[in-house]
Amino acid sequence: MLCLLVLGYSQWLSAQQYYLFIGSYNKDKNKTGIYIYRFNRATGKSDMTDTIGNVLNPGYLVPSANGSYLYACTEAQTPKAGSVSSYAFNPETGKAVWINSQSSGGDNPVYITEHKSGRWLAVANYTGGSAAVLPVENGHVGKAAQVFAFKDSSLTDRQRSAHIHSAVLDPAHRFLFLPDLGADKIRCFAFDAQLPAPLQPATPPFTATVPGSGPRHFAFHPTLPLAYSIEELSGMVTAYHYANGKLDSLQRIKAHYKRGQDIDYSGADIHVSPDGRFLYASIRAEENIIVIYAIDPATGLLTRIARQSTGGDHPRNFVIDPTGKYLLVANMMSNNVVVFERNAQTGLLKKTGTTLNMPAPSCLQIKAY
């Protein structure tokens, strides 16, 4: 019976189809802004199913948990603008249709996430130094229920004001974390989806990071009480123990390899492999690499084991597919997405030879249907 159950699960898994969603900085709403591909998990290749225009600078995307919708940060990198746009997605055809757009509550939205209730979206506004929560019903995004604007600053020229760079929910979706590059803080709010104003300041309301570090993106371990932050300005990764909205620093380790004065390390994105054994972080600017760490299963501490050239310039974002077999990198300034195969035993990456070309890819998401 067990063998039959395993075989049945295997057949079900292989019957699933995967979609790859790509946002781009098109800088002209008359040009394609979002690309949708059917992703072949056996080969790592992709077939385009749709493109979306009439949208300006979709800087970050997230497919809804139920697969019926696609949400995007739009009007990113647009002076005095910022919006959230929603699309209905049909996995049978691979096509998406615009539903509506709504103000993001601040300038330059760069990150969006969906609460597991399906009732709320949280968005990070980088230039506006704010975070907002917006209600959503049947894919239709309502006006922001709450907007929190922050006024802090820190050491460097890039930190003269607050810059919220991501909005990440903990695994239980009870707390929302907001890395603030401008203030050297990882802010935290309790999240109650049943309330009309779901965010309340947590205790403590933030975790201070090293002055001048510039925390950017943030990732939780899939099974252990651990979280990891990539710091844009320092090029470092910090590992945290996590419990009930509280972060305790465990380790701070380099992602960059180059040394010297006035180096722009430009740390960007960070993800844990689905099996929880490896951590990956991207460094842009002078290095353009993915840095690979082994995660100690007992302590959560990191050991840096390798680096991999991204095959392009400015790896702003990357994604690991749900099976853990592939890692795809969006090289924004070289206008390409490079597909790597991931060795599940060693964590190392190998180019597959597959590259997708489009202007200024900004965000990658893969979802199983």
Side-chain angles (χ1 to χ4, degrees):
M1 178 63 72
L2 179 59
C3 291
L4 290 175
L5 289 173
V6 171
L7 178 60
Y9 175 77
S10 176
Q11 290 173 337
W12 171 81
L13 184 64
S14 63
Q16 283 186 304
Q17 56 182 338
Y18 293 75
Y19 278 98
L20 166 64
F21 303 92
I22 304 177
S24 69
Y25 286 116
N26 57 358
K27 302 190 182 300
D28 181 346
K29 68 184 304 182
N30 295 312
K31 297 179 179 179
T32 296
I34 297 174
Y35 302 79
I36 302 175
Y37 295 83
R38 190 173 283 112
F39 181 77
N40 188 324
R41 73 181 188 91
T43 65
K45 296 182 181 298
S46 300
D47 296 312
M48 185 181 291
T49 62
D50 201 8
T51 60
I52 300 174
N54 198 34
V55 58
L56 182 61
N57 290 353
Y60 200 86
L61 313 174
V62 63
S64 65
N66 66 10
S68 298
Y69 307 105
L70 178 68
Y71 303 114
C73 290
T74 44
E75 298 180 301
Q77 295 188 351
T78 304
K80 298 181 180 180
S83 56
V84 172
S85 297
S86 173
Y87 300 85
F89 179 68
N90 184 341
E92 293 185 4
T93 63
K95 306 290 185 182
V97 178
W98 179 77
I99 298 176
N100 81 312
S101 297
Q102 192 67 253
S103 170
S104 66
D107 293 357
N108 192 12
V110 293
Y111 202 104
I112 188 169
T113 191
E114 180 195 38
H115 189 269
K116 67 179 181 180
S117 66
R119 297 176 54 192
W120 297 100
L121 301 174
V123 60
N125 297 302
Y126 176 83
T127 303
S130 66
V133 284
L134 297 86
V136 60
E137 184 175 0
N138 296 325
H140 188 279
V141 183
K143 292 183 179 179
Q146 292 174 285
V147 177
F148 293 89
F150 305 102
K151 302 299 182 183
D152 308 39
S153 60
S154 193
L155 293 180
T156 73
D157 287 343
R158 289 277 310 278
Q159 297 176 304
R160 293 180 178 178
S161 63
H163 295 305
I164 307 301
H165 218 309
S166 54
V168 180
L169 287 156
D170 75 342
H173 285 212
R174 292 182 56 238
F175 292 91
L176 178 70
F177 289 86
L178 305 168
D180 187 338
L181 182 148
D184 288 321
K185 295 177 178 178
I186 300 175
R187 304 182 186 277
C188 183
F189 286 82
F191 201 122
D192 187 342
Q194 303 304 313
L195 298 178
L199 294 186
Q200 299 298 325
T203 303
F206 64 85
T207 299
T209 67
V210 172
S213 60
R216 177 185 170 98
H217 278 195
F218 193 73
F220 282 95
H221 193 281
T223 59
L224 300 175
L226 302 167
Y228 302 93
S229 175
I230 178 73
E231 299 167 358
E232 178 169 342
L233 304 183
S234 69
M236 304 286 284
V237 168
T238 298
Y240 296 93
H241 178 267
Y242 174 66
N244 199 34
K246 189 173 186 297
L247 298 171
D248 292 305
S249 179
L250 296 174
Q251 179 189 26
R252 193 162 180 259
I253 186 172
K254 290 180 180 178
H256 64 85
Y257 280 76
K258 289 194 173 183
R259 299 178 182 178
Q261 296 293 323
D262 300 322
I263 289 180
D264 180 8
Y265 293 118
S266 202
D269 203 8
I270 190 165
H271 295 282
V272 182
S273 60
D275 60 13
R277 296 181 59 198
F278 299 96
L279 179 76
Y280 299 82
S282 63
I283 295 289
R284 299 168 293 176
E286 299 181 38
E287 297 191 78
N288 293 317
I289 55 175
I290 298 290
V291 184
I292 307 166
Y293 305 86
I295 301 174
D296 187 301
T299 65
L301 298 182
L302 302 172
T303 301
R304 192 168 63 168
I305 58 175
R307 57 182 162 176
Q308 171 69 52
S309 168
T310 65
D313 187 4
H314 204 83
R316 180 181 181 88
N317 183 242
F318 67 94
V319 66
I320 303 172
D321 85 285
T323 71
K325 184 177 180 181
Y326 297 101
L327 185 150
L328 288 69
V329 184
N331 293 301
M332 191 180 80
M333 291 186 178
S334 54
N335 305 314
N336 65 344
V337 173
V338 179
V339 182
F340 294 88
E341 188 170 4
R342 194 182 75 89
N343 186 311
Q345 298 305 312
T346 66
L348 301 182
L349 304 174
K350 180 178 69 175
K351 285 186 178 180
T352 63
T354 297
T355 300
L356 304 174
N357 298 299
M358 73 278 299
S362 60
C363 175
L364 306 174
Q365 297 282 4
I366 297 178
K367 182 170 176 59
Y369 286 83

